[in-house]
Amino acid sequence: EAGVAQSPRYKIIEKRQSVAFWCNPISGHATLYWYQQILGQGPKLLIQFQNNGVVDDSQLPKDRFSAERLKGVDSTLKIQPAKLEDSAVYLCASSFFGTVNDEKLFFGSGTQLSVL
Amino acid sequence: GDSVTQMEGPVTLSEEAFLTINCTYTATGYPSLFWYVQYPGEGLQLLLKATKADDKGSNKGFEATYRKETTSFHLEKGSVQVSDSAVYFCALGGSEKLVFGKGTKLTVNP
């Protein structure tokens, strides 16, 4: 079974530049999550999609971050403009139904972003 | 709000030593509790889970018991191996959202 695919693996940009990350979840998974993992901290949920609709984006800094999942399959997370504090690993995860108490999430390997 | 507190790392052990990683939580309602593990260069993967009080989750020799009275979910393994070297995250499923602790890095030396 193919896992959650993410690209790129690493990205280095200067502050105020823009960057985009791509995620392809496991086939058939309706729910897709983007997490931000800052060094030394646990992953923090940025946005959750159910098919192509947003379920939770309460912790997404909407002035600079945007995400879409147009066809309910793969997703793109964008940062524009980037700030130094955006340096982190961006994790994508997916699950069948989004019922976190009943099922496990499958995570990709993440995109490590460095903002200089 | 919901939160998870893990013991500070890093933790360094010799092979075959006993492992405990402490985890306590604060939550409303009755969340499920999880341990996720992140091996070097890989994504997080579920290690074990418990869905209600007094449940014990277990996998690959690791165990954790959901203790409602002490709001804890400590991870234990009787004899660690070099291959257990990884970062371990305690998490709770609150309000349909996973809340993670900061992670504890474990290094096991031969």
Side-chain angles (χ1 to χ4, degrees):
Chain A
E1 174 182 86
V4 176
Q6 288 189 247
S7 67
R9 187 74 178 90
Y10 303 94
K11 191 73 177 178
I12 301 173
I13 61 172
E14 295 188 349
K15 60 183 179 183
R16 291 188 290 273
Q17 287 187 323
S18 62
V19 64
F21 314 126
W22 174 82
C23 172
N24 191 25
I26 292 174
S27 178
H29 281 192
T31 309
L32 185 148
Y33 310 80
W34 282 103
Y35 284 85
Q36 180 192 56
Q37 185 178 8
I38 293 174
L39 187 64
Q41 299 182 22
K44 181 184 82 171
L45 180 68
L46 291 176
I47 188 167
Q48 177 182 343
F49 291 95
Q50 187 74 15
N51 296 308
N52 60 350
V54 175
V55 173
D56 185 346
D57 63 356
S58 57
Q59 299 190 94
L60 186 74
K62 298 180 185 66
D63 58 333
R64 298 183 300 106
F65 286 63
S66 64
E68 60 183 14
R69 194 185 183 199
L70 291 176
K71 297 183 179 179
V73 181
D74 57 350
S75 175
T76 303
L77 176 70
K78 296 180 182 177
I79 307 175
Q80 182 178 12
K83 292 185 175 182
L84 297 177
E85 60 260 35
D86 298 331
S87 294
V89 176
Y90 291 84
L91 299 168
C92 180
S94 70
S95 66
F96 273 112
F97 303 113
T99 52
V100 295
N101 277 316
D102 299 320
E103 57 177 336
K104 69 179 180 181
L105 271 61
F106 293 81
F107 283 83
S109 299
T111 295
Q112 185 171 328
L113 173 67
S114 297
V115 182
L116 306 179
Chain B
D2 296 344
S3 67
V4 173
T5 302
Q6 281 183 245
M7 67 182 279
E8 295 282 330
V11 174
T12 302
L13 296 173
S14 297
E15 208 164 23
E16 299 183 5
F18 184 85
L19 169 71
T20 300
I21 300 178
N22 290 339
C23 171
T24 57
Y25 67 92
T26 302
T28 54
Y30 305 96
S32 292
L33 299 174
F34 307 84
W35 278 99
Y36 276 80
V37 59
Q38 187 173 31
Y39 298 103
E42 299 183 15
L44 279 79
Q45 53 187 278
L46 180 66
L47 179 60
L48 54 84
K49 65 181 275 190
T51 57
K52 60 183 187 297
D54 300 325
D55 265 4
K56 177 185 286 187
S58 61
N59 186 25
K60 299 182 181 180
F62 290 88
E63 292 183 340
T65 302
Y66 191 149
R67 301 284 188 201
K68 194 168 184 295
E69 64 276 13
T70 55
T71 61
S72 65
F73 193 56
H74 304 321
L75 182 69
E76 297 182 336
K77 186 173 186 182
S79 176
V80 293
Q81 305 300 311
V82 172
S83 57
D84 295 326
S85 297
V87 182
Y88 293 81
F89 292 91
C90 185
L92 68 84
S95 303
E96 295 306 319
K97 182 187 302 185
L98 269 185
V99 176
F100 287 90
K102 291 185 177 182
T104 303
K105 183 176 182 180
L106 170 67
T107 300
V108 181
N109 294 319

